[in-house]
Amino acid sequence: METPAAVAPASASSPITIHYRSTSVLPRLALSNMKRHLHETAAFSLVEVTLAMGIAAFCLITVMALLPVTLKTQQAGIQQTTANTICSQIVADLSADMRLPPGQMSKQFNLHGHWAAQGTPDILYFAKDGTFIPNSTNQSTAPPDSVFRATVTYLQPPVETTSLADITVSWPAQVDPLAGGVPAGKVETFAAINR
């Protein structure tokens, strides 16, 4: 930076002239003040960092606490969706069975003719993905790989135009609701099958 050295006297017709001389102390002093000022404001204090870490830890603990609840809700939703699919399969099979001529068997669950002949419910077992376990209709114990138990209760007597059934799908399959067991979850539907 330069400072004025001398000022020439001004006359009425001449402009004022200012002469500067160079000094090297002022630019260094101003630069060092500026560096120190920037250095002091560019950092966080230890208290600020500790508070920020505490708030972040509190938020993470809250989110982590919600994960088990979320996973349990998702699993229950998947099981209910699978149980509803099983109910739809049974209703479709019962509807197809009504249209079969005498002497033919139900193609999927072997439920042909149970509307009038069966006074007790039919029990069907399904795997985790909702597929029917072959030859598991009315077994006394649940197969080891079964997850869902479907209970088909026929409402007597069937009328000439409509047959009624109450279908309950519960899980786990080892718990028998008819014997007083309390399942972890269940889906129930009422089917009216036109003849």
Side-chain angles (χ1 to χ4, degrees):
M1 192 166 236
E2 299 178 352
T3 58
V7 177
S11 65
S13 62
S14 71
I16 299 176
T17 306
I18 300 176
H19 298 282
Y20 290 95
R21 64 184 166 156
S22 176
T23 60
S24 61
V25 176
L26 288 176
R28 273 188 273 156
L29 187 61
L31 187 60
S32 66
N33 284 340
M34 192 166 92
K35 281 185 180 178
R36 185 174 68 224
H37 180 67
L38 287 176
H39 179 66
E40 289 174 357
T41 60
F44 294 108
S45 69
L46 186 58
V47 173
E48 291 171 331
V49 171
T50 305
L51 286 173
M53 288 178 64
I55 292 170
F58 178 75
C59 292
L60 284 174
I61 288 172
T62 305
V63 169
M64 295 301 252
L66 291 174
L67 283 177
V69 175
T70 305
L71 291 174
K72 191 175 237 183
T73 303
Q74 180 186 15
Q75 184 179 14
I78 290 171
Q79 289 172 333
Q80 287 179 351
T81 302
T82 305
N84 284 327
T85 303
I86 291 170
C87 286
S88 297
Q89 290 175 1
I90 293 172
V91 169
D93 187 61
L94 290 174
S95 295
D97 181 55
M98 282 295 166
R99 291 168 181 84
L100 286 176
Q104 290 191 359
M105 298 293 288
S106 170
K107 304 291 187 235
Q108 194 169 8
F109 302 126
N110 192 22
L111 299 176
H112 181 68
H114 287 207
W115 291 100
Q118 196 72 356
T120 57
D122 278 327
I123 309 295
L124 309 167
Y125 295 97
F126 294 83
K128 182 179 181 180
D129 61 350
T131 57
F132 176 65
I133 297 173
N135 302 320
S136 67
T137 303
N138 295 326
Q139 286 188 1
S140 58
T141 59
D145 57 342
S146 63
V147 175
F148 296 96
R149 171 193 294 257
T151 306
V152 182
T153 306
Y154 305 101
L155 303 179
Q156 298 289 336
V159 296
E160 292 181 8
T161 58
T162 306
S163 296
L164 307 174
D166 183 29
I167 303 168
T168 304
V169 178
S170 61
W171 61 91
Q174 289 71 25
V175 177
D176 186 5
L178 297 176
V182 179
K186 72 176 186 174
V187 171
E188 188 170 1
T189 188
F190 184 76
I193 309 298
N194 292 330
R195 290 176 177 259

